[in-house]
Amino acid sequence: MYLELKNRLESHLRDVLKARYDLTVENIPIETPPDLKFGELATPIAFELARKLRKAPKVIAQEIVGELGTPRGFASFSIAGAGYINAHLDRVVAVRLMTSGEDSRPVETEIHALVEHTSINPNKAAHIGHLRNAILGDTFVRLLRAAGRQVAVQNYIDNTGVQVADVVVGFLHVEKKTLSEIRAFIEDLQLHFQRVDFYCWDLYARTSHWYTSGTDAENEERKKLRYQTLHEVEQGGNATAAVADLISTAVLRRHLETMLRLGIEYDFLPRESEILHLNFWALAFEQLKQKGVLYFETEGKNKGCWVMSRSGSTVTDGEADEDAKVIVRSNGTVTYVGKDIAYHLWKFGLLGRDFGYRKFFEYKSHECWISAEQGEADHPHFGDAQAIYNVIDSRQSDPQANVIQALRGMGYTQQADHYTHFSYEMVALTPRCAGELGYEVAEEDRARPYIEVSGRKGFGVKADDLIDKLIAATRAEVDTRQTSRDEQERQVIAEQIAIGALRYFMLKFTRNSVIAFDFKDALSFEGETGPYIQYAVVRARSIFRKGSFKPDAVMREFAGSDPGAFLMGEVGDDIWSLWLRAGRRSAALEQCIATSEPAYLAKHAFQLAQEFNNFFHKHHVLTELDPERKMFLLATVAIAMRELITALDMLGIESPEAM
């Protein structure tokens, strides 16, 4: 509702400015006044036009208001201060928009967006940092789809990187297992319902220690062995690569199962092995050379390399550009950025080659496909995106900028403009949380705001362990409150609350804030938490359950009433503010997408829950004696509940029946 009326005001203002002053103004600023007495919308447009029209802002505001009239949805306009124009909504019309649902229907678009998120190295179990990536990415997918976008979800799998090579070294040279022994070992783990990703977590840490635990000579040989293994894994077609494929595939399946616990699903899993073996880079390399983006350096520290000048670099003629980005090293190997450029040319449908596709993982609603050199004949296609969002941590900002620069240099300006690095900061633990997870926290660390985790050093939190602990803590509380419900119902409720708490905690902070995770803070029923919002929904449902009302039936009956008398005065203003907050969901969604920031919707959901809880305590709906007012209060509950459930669903959070 709020967004629709805001857009209507902007359009009407443009028409007035054109008719009155013959001015075409594309961007008209619309603000939210700090108090309802100033209306629901305001614009400082008169201040922006003062210099151009050579008039005082207040005079311009008076002239504009004189021309505005009362378009549908607006009751009046007023002038405040030195020239602010305040818009007062027609509250009855706004309520009708809300109850009809006209304001919440997505606008279908032909834009095909591709969101890449999670992208865990398939060498060990997922950890808490991966959860922030996956939850941010999955939520943004939900937001895009809610806005009517066509979205494909990709999870890039680096199955030929150094971290996979380290686990291969661990199996082959630390544990001295053969390929057949490794295969039998993994099958035995699966047979006994043990996690291969958990095993590799410990093996990875042991291997990292092994590289530096011998004599200097031994450590040097182990370092050579590490890079020899990496080379064999990248090359493919050998026993070492077969071990890497076996391990990475088994670990990947566990990753997908972990993410499914959070309601996170994927459409396609592109693997680096296919990018290498299908020669994506060779095609990209030719394009980059032909279009002059890369050049061969003959001087300086990058002699013998193919390089790309950094944006804004200035070099005197004849001098080597020492700051140029190396894309192909002097030994002929391609850097990470080079492979990433090739991959993104494919994403935009600009490479001239495609993956093979195989079915890999089955969800309830669709198949997840994985890349292959030779795929199935009948398959979907996941490239040719018109907009790309890459959920990658902020440490990768420079490589991401290099890919965008390469696209611009090749003349793909439109694609570069629709390439978004959806960056985020790390997740750490509060000292209290680290202690609760069983880690020994040094005295000097207990006063720190957070403690960083490191899987390589063995100080890390497996995603599944964190989820299990959250569910266990929630289940203990549910068991005390819901004694009349059976075992399965209580478990479902506990999982809904725990997952909701985790997802909301990861989403309520802006992406570029460091998060210090804490069990107590996340699971609290008070304050800005997932359970607080879920409990608001439970309260709303309890009103309908106790009164034996159905929300849909209430809304149908309310549609024929006149709520005007209940929307005025001090009490009416109080309830109207709840309707107004509920009507801001589409505006919050638009803001999230425009800024690539899901935190705005999380904040909206929390504020709506706050306002509903205030309403819940002030107004005794079921004991109201006036039948018309009771119907109005029930409709208010129904709208708040609908919007809370919808907002939570967009955040990937379920709404429990009870808590």
Side-chain angles (χ1 to χ4, degrees), residues 142-346:
R142 292 168 184 265
L143 297 178
L144 289 171
R145 287 175 174 164
R149 306 281 180 91
Q150 303 299 312
V151 187
V153 187
Q154 293 191 180
N155 177 359
Y156 181 81
I157 310 300
D158 184 3
N159 62 334
T160 63
V162 68
Q163 296 198 34
V164 170
D166 285 343
V167 176
V168 172
V169 169
F171 273 112
L172 292 178
H173 302 286
V174 177
E175 297 195 332
K176 302 188 183 303
K177 287 183 169 66
T178 64
L179 172 60
S180 59
E181 288 171 337
I182 296 168
R183 181 176 289 108
F185 177 75
I186 291 174
E187 289 173 354
D188 187 62
L189 286 177
Q190 294 169 337
L191 184 64
H192 292 88
F193 303 101
Q194 295 180 33
R195 300 288 298 256
V196 64
D197 54 336
F198 282 22
Y199 184 86
C200 289
W201 175 286
D202 296 328
L203 180 58
Y204 178 65
R206 283 193 285 128
T207 305
S208 297
H209 176 69
W210 181 74
Y211 285 135
T212 58
S213 62
T215 64
D216 289 346
E218 286 173 333
N219 291 344
E220 186 61 32
E221 287 303 309
R222 290 170 183 176
K223 182 179 179 181
K224 291 179 182 177
L225 177 63
R226 183 191 199 195
Y227 289 105
Q228 177 188 334
T229 301
L230 176 62
H231 176 71
E232 291 173 358
V233 170
E234 288 182 341
Q235 188 176 40
N238 54 67
T240 303
V243 170
D245 182 64
L246 177 66
I247 296 167
S248 63
T249 301
V251 171
L252 173 58
R253 287 190 181 277
R254 302 290 80 75
H255 288 171
L256 299 188
E257 291 171 357
T258 297
M259 294 306 160
L260 190 55
R261 299 182 73 183
L262 302 174
I264 298 171
E265 301 179 356
Y266 310 92
D267 298 312
F268 179 48
L269 310 170
R271 296 188 296 184
E272 183 156 319
S273 54
E274 277 70 55
I275 289 177
L276 292 172
H277 302 152
L278 292 171
N279 296 314
F280 276 26
W281 167 246
L283 295 174
F285 192 29
E286 287 305 311
Q287 284 198 50
L288 288 162
K289 287 188 293 184
Q290 288 172 11
K291 298 188 178 184
V293 177
L294 297 187
Y295 66 91
F296 188 74
E297 183 58 83
T298 58
E299 302 292 339
K301 68 175 184 179
N302 295 329
K303 182 179 180 180
C305 301
W306 285 91
V307 301
M308 178 177 70
S309 292
R310 293 182 185 271
S311 180
S313 176
T314 56
V315 181
T316 305
D317 288 345
E319 290 186 359
D321 184 357
E322 299 294 338
D323 292 327
K325 180 67 180 178
V326 174
I327 303 300
V328 182
R329 303 181 186 93
S330 58
N331 63 3
T333 59
V334 185
T335 62
Y336 167 83
V337 172
K339 288 182 281 189
D340 213 25
I341 291 170
Y343 175 40
H344 283 86
L345 288 173
W346 170 81

Side-chain angles (χ1 to χ4, degrees), residues 358-467:
R358 284 192 293 106
K359 292 177 183 176
F360 184 76
F361 196 89
E362 187 170 346
Y363 296 111
K364 288 182 179 179
S365 61
H366 70 283
E367 294 275 0
C368 178
W369 296 72
I370 196 167
S371 63
E373 291 183 53
Q374 297 292 329
E376 298 178 27
D378 185 16
H379 62 78
H381 173 60
F382 294 102
D384 297 326
Q386 294 162 303
I388 286 173
Y389 299 90
N390 291 333
V391 185
I392 302 175
D393 74 56
S394 58
R395 292 170 297 181
Q396 298 299 315
S397 293
D398 186 59
Q400 288 289 293
N402 293 148
V403 176
I404 294 172
Q405 182 189 336
L407 289 170
R408 291 195 189 283
M410 299 171 78
Y412 300 129
T413 304
Q414 184 177 0
Q415 287 81 359
D417 289 343
H418 289 87
Y419 182 121
T420 300
H421 175 203
F422 194 103
S423 66
Y424 65 95
E425 285 291 345
M426 70 173 184
V427 181
L429 303 175
T430 63
R432 177 174 64 188
C433 185
E436 290 173 343
L437 286 166
Y439 291 103
E440 186 174 337
V441 180
E443 186 66 37
E444 63 271 19
D445 288 336
R446 291 176 187 171
R448 293 174 57 193
Y450 59 82
I451 300 173
E452 296 181 31
V453 296
S454 171
R456 185 181 292 274
K457 295 177 182 177
F459 183 79
V461 182
K462 299 183 187 76
D464 284 285
D465 286 348
L466 179 67
I467 295 169

Side-chain angles (χ1 to χ4, degrees), residues 77 186 220 251 324 377 381 396 426 430 455 476 491 538 545 564 590 592-593 617 633:
F77 296 92
I186 291 174
E220 186 61 32
V251 171
H381 173 60
Q396 298 299 315
M426 70 173 184
T430 63
Q491 182 64 20
V538 170
R545 185 175 63 254
E590 183 180 75
C592 288
I593 293 173
H617 290 299
L633 294 177

